[in-house]
């Protein structure tokens, strides 16, 4: 009986931070929501400017999340060989994400078919901003529970 209670208590301690962070995590808008939000800006030029601003904001959020992740890994209460390997994996994951984002957003833009280039760019900007924001949120969640020294 004691073993079951201890196991359930341990499971609750491990799951609770994940459930709490998921419950309090802000909504990350997808590319369609971003395009809809920016379409309220007015003209196509205003929409482009709005989406470009969303890209800049998402780039900053991603850069900040990467820096936070590196600090969390550097302060992680773990052997140096594991922190070193984790930093290397983070760098590789960042490079893979950049390649994925480029390809995925080219695909999203191509779904505009024969639309003019400006309309295709709107799709690309919305995709880039959405993926950056999601990656930033995922990075933050990934390192939020690392025990620090």
């Amino acid at each position: 009986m004691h073993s079951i209670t201890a196991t359930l208590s341990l499971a609750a301690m491990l799951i609770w931070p994940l459930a709490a962070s998921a419950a309090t995590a802000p909504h990350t808008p997808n590319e369609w929501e971003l395009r809809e939000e920016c379409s309220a800006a007015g003209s196509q030029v205003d929409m482009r400017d709005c989406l470009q601003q969303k890209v800049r904001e998402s780039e900053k959020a991603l850069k900040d999340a990467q820096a936070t992740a590196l600090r969390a890994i550097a302060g992680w209460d773990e052997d140096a060989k594991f922190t070193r390997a984790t930093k290397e994996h983070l760098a590789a994951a960042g490079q893979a994400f950049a390649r994925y984002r480029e390809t995925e957003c080219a695909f999203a833009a191509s779904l505009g078919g024969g639309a003019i280039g400006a309309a295709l760019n709107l799709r690309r900007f919305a995709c880039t901003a959405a993926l950056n924001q999601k990656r930033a949120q995922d990075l933050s969640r990934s390192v939020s529970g690392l025990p620090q020294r």
Side-chain angles (χ1 to χ4, degrees):
M1 180 71 171
H2 177 69
S3 173
I4 293 172
T5 304
T7 301
L8 290 175
S9 296
L10 178 60
M13 289 182 343
L14 293 173
I15 292 171
W16 180 253
L18 296 174
S21 70
T24 60
H27 171 69
T28 303
N30 63 39
E31 62 185 274
W32 295 274
E33 292 169 328
L34 290 171
R35 286 198 326 253
E36 185 174 311
E37 178 185 335
C38 287
S39 69
S43 71
Q44 189 173 21
V45 170
D46 294 333
M47 187 176 178
R48 181 203 64 215
D49 292 346
C50 175
L51 286 169
Q52 285 177 325
Q53 180 61 31
K54 299 285 184 193
V55 169
R56 285 189 294 274
E57 291 168 0
S58 72
E59 287 170 343
K60 182 180 182 329
L62 182 54
K63 183 178 177 182
D64 291 349
Q66 289 169 331
T68 298
L70 277 173
R71 281 192 303 276
I73 293 166
W76 186 19
D77 189 17
E78 188 55 79
D79 291 343
K81 68 180 178 181
F82 296 114
T83 59
R84 213 174 17 261
T86 302
K87 286 179 186 179
E88 290 170 6
H89 290 299
L90 176 62
Q95 292 169 353
F97 170 74
R99 287 189 305 274
Y100 165 75
R101 180 187 56 215
E102 183 65 31
T103 304
E104 179 66 18
C105 293
F107 167 69
S110 75
L111 292 173
I116 62 171
L120 299 179
N121 282 336
L122 297 178
R123 288 175 153 291
R124 184 183 305 272
F125 295 149
C127 175
T128 300
L131 290 179
N132 283 347
Q133 287 289 0
K134 174 141 182 21
R135 174 72 177 149
Q137 189 176 55
D138 290 347
L139 272 174
S140 296
R141 284 181 182 162
S142 294
V143 299
S144 67
L146 288 180
Q148 300 293 298
R149 286 185 218 121

